[in-house]
Structure formats: C-alpha cells, structure tokens
Amino acid sequence: MPLLTKSQKRTTISALRSSDVRAVDQKYNEPARLWCNEEWVTAGCLRCTDPRCMKFIDAEINCRHSPDFSYERDLNVCPVGAIKWNFDKELPEIDNHSCIGCGLCAARCPIGAIYRSGNHMEIAEPSSDYTDIPINHVNLEAHKMF
C-alpha cells in the first residue's frame, strides 16, 4: 500500500448521485448516514483528490505569526503511518495492526466514511448511491473538490 506518488495517477473520484444532502447522522461503530432525497444514504469514501484523512496541508500546521516556531514537518495525519492509499481499489486503507485508534483520520474525513468498529478503524466504500467520475478540472470544479 504505497503512498500516492506523482508517477502513479489516480483516474476517478466518487460523488453522491444527488448533492441534496440535508442532514448527517453519525453514530459510534458505523459510518455516517446522509439524509438525501428523503432517504438515509450510508456515507462512503469520496476518494478525495487531496485525502484529508491522510495528509495535512502545510498551511494547517504552519505558524505564520511566529515564523521561527518549530513544528513537525511531517504532513501525515496518522502518527504511526497506518493509513495508506491502495492504488488497486483507489481507496485509502487502514492497517489495523499498526493503527493506535487515535481517530485523527476519522475526524478529518469530510463525509464520515471512516469510523471505529469495535477496536479498529474501518473505511466505508462507496455504494450504489455514488458514481465514479473521471478526474479532470471540470468534474473537480462541479463537485467542489478543487
């Protein structure tokens, strides 16, 4: 499960078939549910182009008010490196043998697809309520992922 590199190109992202999400319900031990078109839809990984569950952006950890302030330059969200990108599935995966269960990845998931299940973390895969779309500027802008 190597990390995303420039030489390996992702081809798709996932998007809800309907963007009319009215409410979110998050419970312990299950992925979030989204109220969409008068029914509950289970949250699934969006395959974000910049996976917040995996990486911080430099601006999030940079202290611009104190430029000499020492901070960790490692942009990985997971303190033990347990979440990696699976290029075959085009989804993040969590190595639960390494995971310490801190929940940082789950807290950063914008849709609630990462959740604790018992004593380990899980990532809900997109269901039939989602559609795969090619990664290009038009699609990223239309789905507000750019």
Side-chain angles (χ1 to χ4, degrees), residues 31-51:
R33 297 181 321 145
L34 312 171
W35 184 250
C36 187
N37 292 335
E38 305 303 316
E39 67 178 339
W40 287 106
V41 174
T42 301
C45 180
L46 296 176
R47 301 175 180 164
C48 302
T49 54
D50 269 334

Side-chain angles (χ1 to χ4, degrees), residues 56-63 69 71-75:
F56 291 109
I57 58 172
D58 193 51
E60 290 179 290
I61 61 172
N62 191 358
C63 185
F69 185 78
Y71 63 95
E72 180 64 49
R73 297 297 291 172
D74 183 3
L75 299 177

Side-chain angles (χ1 to χ4, degrees), residues 2-93:
L3 287 175
L4 194 62
T5 65
K6 288 183 180 178
S7 63
Q8 293 173 300
K9 299 287 186 204
R10 296 203 17 236
T11 57
T12 60
I13 56 176
S14 295
L16 275 168
R17 292 186 186 278
S18 169
S19 60
D20 190 31
V21 176
R22 300 289 183 185
V24 177
D25 179 36
Q26 179 80 56
K27 294 182 179 156
Y28 188 74
N29 279 343
E30 59 187 60
R33 297 181 321 145
L34 312 171
W35 184 250
C36 187
N37 292 335
E38 305 303 316
E39 67 178 339
W40 287 106
V41 174
T42 301
C45 180
L46 296 176
R47 301 175 180 164
C48 302
T49 54
D50 269 334
R52 291 175 36 94
C53 62
M54 296 176 64
K55 294 278 185 191
F56 291 109
I57 58 172
D58 193 51
E60 290 179 290
I61 61 172
N62 191 358
C63 185
R64 63 185 166 99
H65 298 295
S66 301
D68 295 330
F69 185 78
S70 176
Y71 63 95
E72 180 64 49
R73 297 297 291 172
D74 183 3
L75 299 177
N76 289 322
V77 168
C78 182
V80 295
I83 187 168
K84 305 257 192 284
W85 193 263
N86 181 319
F87 287 97
D88 294 331
K89 292 181 177 180
E90 288 204 15
L91 289 167
E93 281 187 346

